[in-house]
Amino acid sequence: MLESIAKQYGFPENECTLQPFGNGLINNTWILNYRDDQFIFQKINDSVFTSPSTIAENLHQLHIFFKAHFPDYLFVNPVATVNNDEMFFLQEIGYCRLFKFVKGSVTFDTVANTDIAFEGARQFGKFTKLLSAFDINKLQITLPDFHNLTLRYQQFEEALQKGNKDRIKESEASILYIIAKKNIVDIFNQIQNNPSFKKRVTHHDTKISNVLFDTNGNGLCVIDLDTVMPGYFISDVGDMIRTYVSPVSEEENDFSKINIREDYFQAIVDGYLCEMKNELSDEEKNYFVYAGKFMIYMQAIRFLADYLNNDVYYGSKYPGHNLIRCNNQLELLQQLLAKEELLQSKVSMFIAQETPVS
Ligand code: GN1
Ligand code: MG
């Protein structure tokens, strides 16, 4: 494999090494070392991204926009091959691309303090804000209906009809809880018909490892732009709430460690709105807590539907893995709901502070 990759970029194979990197569930990632340079090499999962060229085209469009309007923004574009392609296909590997590792940048796998949460949220807010003049119709849909909760709920119902019978029985408590909280889907349907909600350039994968920081802890930019598509802000804010607010990830099976850290929620509100406060309508701002519910609920549904469908999408490292992931998310949802009013008051306070007194 290394030989064919090195050839694409004109690197002598004997001067390159390749080692696995990161913990994404969908694409495969490696670090490629060549002389003194480090690169990130990625294979696109083309059973998920069925039209990988749309990713390359989106990156290209965004790159042109940033170069023209915000040339100082660090936009991490793929390295061109010797044939000047930013993505290539190899029979033995699949669709691949290479990024230069940004020297002096660091990433975090966990959100260890509120400064990281603030800065992460600020970077995702900044990305959408800088792209507010970009025509969203120029973006291709790399994953149709990716964050369409209505469809995700239908897929869950389908899994209940056609899925693994033993697993359905085993998951009964989780299934009932999901059905009981279906009003989260109803609210999403209302949002789709609400003219106060706007579609903007949305990242759709706002985990903290998708933010590059400098060594002083300042955010540099966001990366992993494969799911950048038109979307609602609740996708980005919601996934930050889902992944920054609890001290443990969706992989944790000791649910007593799951906890809503209110100060981290506040850091997301402050960081995101410090960039986006003039972009979002007041009505949209009031959906911050809903954003968390929306993304946690959707992720629980996706893990459970996958469990019932025999783990075809996310895979599974041990028996019951996707059911544990689902129940982890349902525990997080329950805890978020228990603190809903308190969290909402933090958002209301932010809005009140910003509103000029007449
Ligand atoms: C997948 O591959 P990764 O870990 O960046 C998934 C996200 C989920 C996440 C859950 C294309 O992202 O939607 O939130 O797993 N991406 C895709 O960990 O399905
Ligand atoms: Mg990703």
Side-chain angles (χ1 to χ4, degrees), residues 72-261:
D72 292 339
Y73 185 79
L74 179 61
F75 186 84
V76 185
N77 206 40
V79 179
T81 63
V82 286
N83 297 326
N84 209 20
D85 293 322
E86 291 177 347
M87 185 182 277
F88 64 94
F89 177 81
L90 283 182
Q91 203 62 46
E92 54 188 295
I93 312 176
Y95 289 90
C96 319
R97 74 280 172 77
L98 188 74
F99 296 96
K100 187 121 193 254
F101 195 92
V102 178
K103 282 213 169 89
S105 73
V106 290
T107 52
F108 300 108
D109 282 332
T110 53
V111 185
N113 59 58
T114 51
D115 290 343
I116 297 179
F118 176 91
E119 201 52 31
R122 197 167 81 86
Q123 286 303 319
F124 285 109
K126 181 178 175 184
F127 180 74
T128 296
K129 188 181 82 178
L130 293 180
L131 290 162
S132 58
F134 179 90
D135 177 7
I136 56 168
N137 298 313
K138 282 193 179 155
L139 287 176
Q140 311 232 22
I141 307 300
T142 56
L143 282 177
D145 292 309
F146 186 38
H147 284 186
N148 180 346
L149 183 58
T150 317
L151 181 92
R152 295 293 183 188
Y153 195 84
Q154 282 166 13
Q155 290 171 336
F156 159 69
E157 288 180 316
E158 220 172 279
L160 291 180
Q161 298 294 323
K162 300 185 192 149
N164 179 322
K165 295 278 174 288
D166 294 335
R167 290 186 177 198
I168 293 174
K169 214 158 156 219
E170 181 195 2
S171 314
E172 194 184 350
S174 320
I175 294 170
L176 291 176
Y177 188 80
I178 288 173
I179 295 174
K181 297 294 172 208
K182 188 175 176 259
N183 72 313
I184 298 176
V185 184
D186 301 335
I187 295 175
F188 177 68
N189 289 330
Q190 289 161 17
I191 286 177
Q192 288 184 297
N193 294 316
N194 183 341
S196 299
F197 271 80
K198 195 174 150 184
K199 289 216 170 163
R200 303 181 176 83
V201 179
T202 304
H203 186 283
H204 289 110
D205 190 8
T206 54
K207 59 185 177 192
I208 200 65
S209 57
N210 282 339
V211 180
L212 292 191
F213 289 83
D214 70 14
T215 45
N216 297 317
N218 301 310
L220 294 171
C221 65
V222 301
I223 54 170
D224 189 5
L225 306 180
D226 304 344
T227 51
V228 171
M229 289 179 278
Y232 296 116
F233 90 98
I234 54 170
S235 284
D236 283 359
V237 164
D239 215 31
M240 289 192 264
I241 295 173
R242 186 179 83 78
T243 57
Y244 302 0
V245 165
S246 172
V248 292
S249 80
E250 63 204 20
E251 296 298 327
E252 180 60 60
N253 60 15
D254 178 356
F255 296 169
S256 69
K257 292 186 181 156
I258 297 173
N259 174 28
I260 298 289
R261 301 180 292 183

